[in-house]
Amino acid sequence: MGVDPGTNTGVSIYEVDCDLNIVSVETHTIDLNMFVDQDSNQHVKDADRYLALGNLISELLEKYNPIGAAVESSFINVKFQSSGMKVAAYISVVLYALKRHNKDILICKLAPKQIKKFMGDATANKDTMKSLLSDKLVFMVGEEVAKLVNAQNLTEHAIDAIAIGYNFLEVIRKAPYLLNR
């Protein structure tokens, strides 16, 4: 599982075979603003989003029961410190849901630049990311599965979640002993 946490959270679910070859990729985008009472103050809105994220991640964990998950780590931009702090809170909610579901789940936090490098261009805009992802998917899962994913219809958060999940899979491939801990 790969998670791009935020007000719009992207989630990717990878199904792999025994040799860690990708069989399928499924994505979800969660707009947490749908769970907010617009008449509430900002603190209540944030709490509503955190609660919704925890519940929705828990539902996905129950449905897919992944052996591991990667979450994009937070970064604090000096100009936008408050948004970085909110992302850190979303990450905490995701980590809590993961551990609550399975205390032994394998968890990895990945740096945003590492995730962007997966596409081959750490500075690419989202339209370029969609084109790059289309090519990457064919390489990753073959043409038939890539057509099912259809990168052109994905949100930027789902694209990031795919990159996060794939990077996590690469970490496991390089250190398969992590699965036997």
Side-chain angles (χ1 to χ4, degrees), residues 48-67:
D48 289 345
R49 288 184 192 106
Y50 302 146
L51 179 62
L53 178 60
N55 290 339
L56 294 165
I57 292 293
S58 292
E59 287 176 21
L60 291 172
L61 290 167
E62 285 297 319
K63 181 176 179 180
Y64 296 103
N65 199 26
I67 59 169

Side-chain angles (χ1 to χ4, degrees), residues 4-18:
D4 175 35
T7 304
N8 290 295
T9 295
V11 179
S12 65
I13 310 294
Y14 281 79
E15 180 184 352
V16 296
D17 63 19
C18 295

